[in-house]
Amino acid sequence: MTVRREPGEFPMNRAHDATTVKSRKVRGREAADHWKARRDGLLFLIFPAMLVLTGLEVLLSGRNLTEAFLMLEKETQALEQATRHPAIAWLQRGVSLLLLAVCFERIVSHFANRKPVPSPALTSSFILFWATTVAITAVAAPHPRISHEYLYPLVLGIACSLSGPLDRDRIVATVRNSLFIFMLAGAVLIPVNPGLVLDNSYTQGLISGLPRFGGLTTHPVMMGMLAQIALVLLWVRPFRRGSLNFLAWILGLAVLFLAQSKTAWVCFLISACCLVVVRRGSDAVHKAGDPRASSFGVGLLLMLIMAVLAVLVAVLVFDLPGMISDFFNTSAGAQLASLTGRDRIWVVALEEWGHNPILGYGLTIWDADYRQAIGMPQATHAHNQFLDTLSRSGLVGAFGLVIYAVVLTVMAFRYARATGGLSLALWFSTALPAVSEVPLLLVDYGSHVITHFLLIVAVASGAAARVASKAPQPVTRNPIEPTLRTAA
């Protein structure tokens, strides 16, 4: 059957066909962009993989957390002598291959598509930090050591420094889910195998006799830090279901308290203040100065008066100075005054730096043999980021650390509002533990580096959003204009 076309119908059909083809091309480009975004987002797989590796290693170790810490107090190498399950070695190889594949694909596709680097200062300072604290030290230090493990943090850091807002949202949601599952898995094991996840020998907590929760991490301090990071991510990106969100807050706060890490508590309080100030700060200042909304200012004044009265009661009635003096005369107070023995470790770190001021001791400092030689089995690092860098990499590493720290600080504050306060909260969660821990160590990967690389993702995404806002927008032409020009 032949369909008879009226005059002028064919051009109309041709226009309709052209519009159809054009719409198909647009949908094709949108699908390609969507697939490309999904491909770039594969970076989020690395973070739960590191948690799985950490959890399975602890789960298959068959450890007793209480006995392990008691043995360390007797200056033995209990944790080093623990038998490692052979499956963990193969699992770690798989995670390493996944990390290399995802990171290299991300880096290559980023530059192949000619995308701009979100922050050249961030990427270059990170590479400088790795080169001065790892590469140069591994080759030129008095105690050199070369290992393929040193390359994994480098490629992961570069890939994270190329993250955009889409990557940040996906990574934050994935890490949030993974951390709460990780904490829940450790909590479930309390009635099943309490020795695996609880330290009953801890005596420095606020409640006497309360066990310290370590979960599936290597130390309760790490469990506390992961719990406070999970709460920060939950605050920034809550679950859609209110009931699930409520249960997550209960679990996170319970784990944070039971981990009994004072550093984690302080980090969470400061991070919470940062999120409140960034997200509500402008509204709060406006309400405080608005006579029509004076309840905020009145409430703030009442809180200030109550705080002053509480201090006066503590000093005059309860003799607060005397209570503090009596506390420091106890064994727990003496440990706190000596920073739980960290002052001795700091002295050793400074002595090693004094022996090799330019390049430091080398990356093998604080390993099992070195700790046995100095009689400090608990000194797995210098318990201070700057002193640890000095002892490992000397002034060369300290130079890279200072440059990198300045860049992270400036970018975390600059993009605080663009990231909803996330960059600032993660910066404090990294800077405060640096006083007594080593959160920026780049000799391997695992759950201990999650906060550091999340911070890189946050500041890079803020910079990427700023670059995108400054990019010139393409000018769209009116599709009728050519037709009118031809008709004229």
Side-chain angles (χ1 to χ4, degrees):
M1 180 177 178
T2 303
V3 179
R4 182 174 178 273
R5 293 186 175 89
E6 298 294 334
E9 185 179 356
F10 183 72
M12 185 181 298
N13 289 340
R14 287 183 57 187
H16 180 268
D17 293 340
T19 304
T20 303
V21 172
K22 184 177 180 180
S23 62
R24 290 176 180 174
K25 290 181 178 180
V26 170
R27 289 196 299 269
R29 285 196 300 269
E30 291 178 351
D33 292 340
H34 179 67
W35 176 83
K36 188 182 297 182
R38 290 178 58 85
R39 183 180 63 178
D40 290 346
L42 291 179
L43 189 62
F44 75 95
L45 293 175
I46 304 301
F47 295 91
M50 291 190 292
L51 286 174
V52 169
L53 182 62
T54 300
L56 287 179
E57 185 170 6
V58 172
L59 186 63
L60 297 177
S61 66
R63 71 176 183 186
N64 188 309
L65 195 59
T66 300
E67 293 180 359
F69 287 120
L70 290 176
M71 287 181 174
L72 281 177
E73 291 179 359
K74 297 178 181 179
E75 298 187 357
T76 61
Q77 299 179 5
L79 295 182
E80 296 292 337
Q81 294 173 356
T83 303
R84 194 184 193 195
H85 198 279
I88 297 300
W90 287 101
L91 179 62
Q92 186 169 8
R93 294 188 183 99
V95 174
S96 300
L97 291 176
L98 174 67
L99 186 150
L100 292 177
V102 170
C103 292
F104 275 123
E105 191 276 338
R106 176 60 195 274
I107 295 171
V108 172
S109 64
H110 185 92
F111 291 103
N113 293 324
R114 298 180 179 180
K115 296 181 180 179
V117 177
S119 174
L122 174 64
T123 305
S124 58
S125 64
F126 174 81
I127 295 175
L128 174 66
F129 176 59
W130 179 86
T132 54
T133 58
V134 178
I136 297 176
T137 305
V139 176
H143 299 82
R145 181 178 183 268
I146 300 176
S147 174
H148 64 91
E149 296 177 353
Y150 302 154
L151 294 176
Y152 302 131
L154 173 65
V155 295
L156 179 58
I158 295 176
C160 289
S161 69
L162 303 177
S163 300
L166 178 63
D167 299 301
R168 179 196 64 214
D169 294 341
R170 188 169 299 164
I171 288 173
V172 166
T174 303
V175 176
R176 177 204 61 193
N177 299 341
S178 303
L179 285 175
F180 279 102
I181 294 174
F182 186 78
M183 291 187 294
L184 182 61
V188 169
L189 290 173
I190 293 178
V192 178
N193 190 353
L196 183 70
V197 296
L198 292 177
D199 175 20
N200 291 306
S201 64
Y202 188 67
T203 59
Q204 302 176 25
L206 297 179
I207 302 177
S208 178
L210 181 66
R212 197 178 192 188
F213 181 68
L216 294 177
T217 59
T218 56
H219 197 280
V221 172
M222 179 57 62
M223 186 75 262
M225 296 306 301
L226 291 180
Q228 72 96 14
I229 289 298
L231 291 173
V232 167
L233 299 182
L234 181 63
W235 191 324
V236 174
R237 192 179 179 88
F239 291 105
R240 294 182 179 179
R241 295 179 58 182
S243 57
L244 183 60
N245 209 50
F246 176 76
L247 294 176
W249 274 104
I250 296 289
L251 174 63
L253 291 174
V255 171
L256 180 63
F257 176 75
L258 292 176
Q260 303 187 63
S261 172
K262 285 77 174 179
T263 303
W265 294 351
V266 174
C267 285
F268 177 68
L269 290 176
I270 296 179
S271 299
C273 292
C274 292
L275 294 175
V276 170
V277 170
V278 173
R279 291 169 169 260
R280 306 286 184 181
S282 58
D283 295 337
V285 173
H286 177 71
K287 289 180 179 180
D290 190 354
R292 296 170 298 178
S294 59
S295 57
F296 178 83
V298 173
L300 187 62
L301 181 61
L302 290 176
M303 291 177 60
L304 181 61
I305 294 174
M306 292 176 62
V308 173
L309 290 176
V311 172
L312 290 176
V313 170
V315 173
L316 299 177
V317 178
F318 295 100
D319 190 17
L320 183 61
M323 294 174 60
I324 295 175
S325 178
D326 294 339
F327 170 75
F328 280 106
N329 290 329
T330 63
S331 59
Q335 287 189 355
L336 181 61
S338 65
L339 298 173
T340 62
R342 291 184 176 93
D343 55 344
R344 297 171 53 203
I345 301 175
W346 293 348
V347 170
V348 174
L350 288 174
E351 289 178 351
E352 290 295 347
W353 172 61
H355 296 156
N356 305 282
I358 304 300
L359 295 173
Y361 180 93
L363 297 178
T364 56
I365 194 173
W366 314 115
D367 62 4
D369 295 334
Y370 183 85
R371 298 200 305 271
Q372 186 177 11
I374 64 176
M376 294 182 179
Q378 75 280 8
T380 54
H381 47 72
H383 286 280
N384 179 271
Q385 180 67 59
F386 189 74
L387 293 181
D388 187 88
T389 303
L390 280 178
S391 63
R392 291 178 191 269
S393 308
L395 292 175
V396 174
F399 171 76
L401 172 64
V402 171
I403 297 297
Y404 182 57
V406 169
V407 172
L408 279 180
T409 302
V410 172
M411 295 188 65
F413 279 83
R414 176 182 296 176
Y415 301 118
R417 187 167 297 276
T419 58
L422 178 62
S423 64
L424 199 57
L426 292 175
W427 182 85
F428 277 106
S429 299
T430 305
L432 292 178
V435 177
S436 59
E437 303 294 332
V438 190
L440 300 180
L441 191 60
L442 295 179
V443 296
D444 57 3
Y445 66 89
S447 58
H448 57 283
V449 302
I450 287 180
T451 305
H452 177 198
F453 289 105
L454 280 177
L455 174 59
I456 297 177
V457 170
V459 296
S461 65
R466 184 175 183 180
V467 171
S469 64
K470 291 183 177 181
Q473 300 296 327
V475 179
T476 57
R477 297 179 60 186
N478 189 347
I480 304 179
E481 183 180 354
T483 306
L484 294 177
R485 185 181 297 111
T486 303

